[in-house]
């Protein structure tokens, strides 16, 4: 059975990718939880650690934001080499060159608020169900609906869940 690995406080899991999402750099904390060797990760698509419990719509939003030059926050359930999982609170940002062109992406991940994970697990499970019948757009609509109901942006909601669960 898959086990949950809990990030220790102070952990900073970082990685960089090229424009297509292939890993170009990862730090020691990344390797500590993903349990791959660095050479098994470099040049591989970042979905190497994707967990099947993650809704497709979350990654669609992620790519829409960063390709448009915006940062995004997300709770992400990742799967390591041995099938165990670990939740992270991630911030993903575009990296620019001197001509202001996006040349890659950067992600920093920390220990998530455990209360936020309880809530987000339920939301993600519902999104996955909707995606089975309505596809990615069903999952995206669910997020849009949530933002509308709360009168807040997606990033605002996620950031507040990490900071202090209401
Ligand atoms: C900088 C950066 C970091 C990423 N980190 C993760 C991650 O930790 N886990 C993950 O599943 N996907 C991550 N992704 C998203 C993946 O590129 C991919 O979109 C996702 O795993 C879904 O893959 P799929 O569409 O092939 O199923 C990251 C993307 C970027 C650009």
């Amino acid at each position: 059975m898959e086990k949950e690995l809990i990030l220790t406080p102070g952990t900073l899991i970082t990685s960089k990718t090229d424009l297509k999402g292939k890993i170009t750099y990862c730090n020691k904390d990344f390797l500590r939880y993903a349990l791959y060797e660095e050479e098994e990760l470099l040049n591989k698509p970042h979905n190497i650690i994707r967990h099947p419990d993650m809704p497709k719509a979350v990654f669609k939003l992620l790519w829409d934001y960063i390709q448009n030059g915006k940062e995004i926050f997300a709770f992400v359930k990742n799967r390591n080499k041995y099938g165990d999982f670990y939740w992270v609170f991630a911030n993903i940002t575009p990296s620019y060159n001197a001509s202001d062109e996006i040349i890659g992406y950067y992600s920093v991940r920390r220990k998530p608020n455990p209360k936020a994970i309880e809530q987000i697990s339920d939301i993600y499970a519902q999104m996955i169900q909707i995606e089975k019948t309505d596809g990615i757009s069903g999952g995206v609509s669910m997020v849009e609906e949530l933002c509308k109901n709360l009168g807040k942006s997606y990033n605002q909601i996620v950031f507040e869940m990490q900071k202090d669960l209401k």
Side-chain angles (χ1 to χ4, degrees):
M1 233 203 44
E2 56 173 25
K3 277 202 316 281
E4 177 166 14
L5 308 175
I6 307 276
L7 269 56
T8 54
T11 299
L12 280 181
I13 299 180
T14 65
S15 60
K16 291 184 192 175
T17 72
D18 65 10
L19 292 172
K20 292 191 169 148
K22 280 195 184 155
I23 300 169
T24 54
Y25 163 82
C26 55
N27 73 347
K28 287 225 169 69
D29 275 347
F30 193 112
L31 303 174
R32 189 165 298 143
Y33 288 91
L35 294 174
Y36 285 96
E37 298 298 327
E38 189 179 27
E39 51 280 17
E40 293 178 289
L41 293 169
L42 294 179
N43 269 315
K44 297 283 163 53
H46 218 307
N47 68 6
I48 188 167
I49 54 163
R50 187 192 197 292
H51 194 286
D53 288 351
M54 283 300 296
K56 292 189 173 75
V58 172
F59 295 119
K60 173 165 176 25
L61 280 174
L62 184 157
W63 281 100
D64 284 352
Y65 270 65
I66 62 177
Q67 285 177 330
N68 283 299
K70 294 185 287 189
E71 69 171 339
I72 189 165
F73 293 94
F75 291 102
V76 181
K77 185 174 184 176
N78 278 326
R79 179 145 83 173
N80 75 12
K81 185 173 177 179
Y82 301 98
D84 291 332
F85 69 92
Y86 53 102
W87 279 98
V88 298
F89 173 66
N91 175 236
I92 301 122
T93 51
S95 308
Y96 294 89
N97 65 11
S99 318
D100 228 17
E101 294 156 335
I102 298 177
I103 49 164
Y105 302 104
Y106 182 56
S107 176
V108 181
R109 310 166 185 84
R110 303 158 195 272
K111 183 182 191 321
N113 179 336
K115 287 192 197 140
I117 295 307
E118 275 173 32
Q119 222 180 41
I120 209 79
S121 306
D122 280 356
I123 296 172
Y124 283 178
Q126 287 175 45
M127 284 172 72
I128 283 188
Q129 281 312 311
I130 289 177
E131 287 178 357
K132 279 186 188 152
T133 52
D134 301 5
I136 291 196
S137 64
V140 172
S141 302
M142 204 184 131
V143 174
E144 285 168 354
E145 197 65 18
L146 197 71
C147 295
K148 209 173 98 192
N149 290 342
L150 295 173
K152 289 176 181 172
S153 71
Y154 165 84
N155 272 338
Q156 220 179 338
I157 295 170
V158 174
F159 196 74
E160 284 176 11
M161 283 174 78
Q162 169 68 1
K163 225 175 54 187
D164 170 22
L165 197 81
K166 300 255 160 47

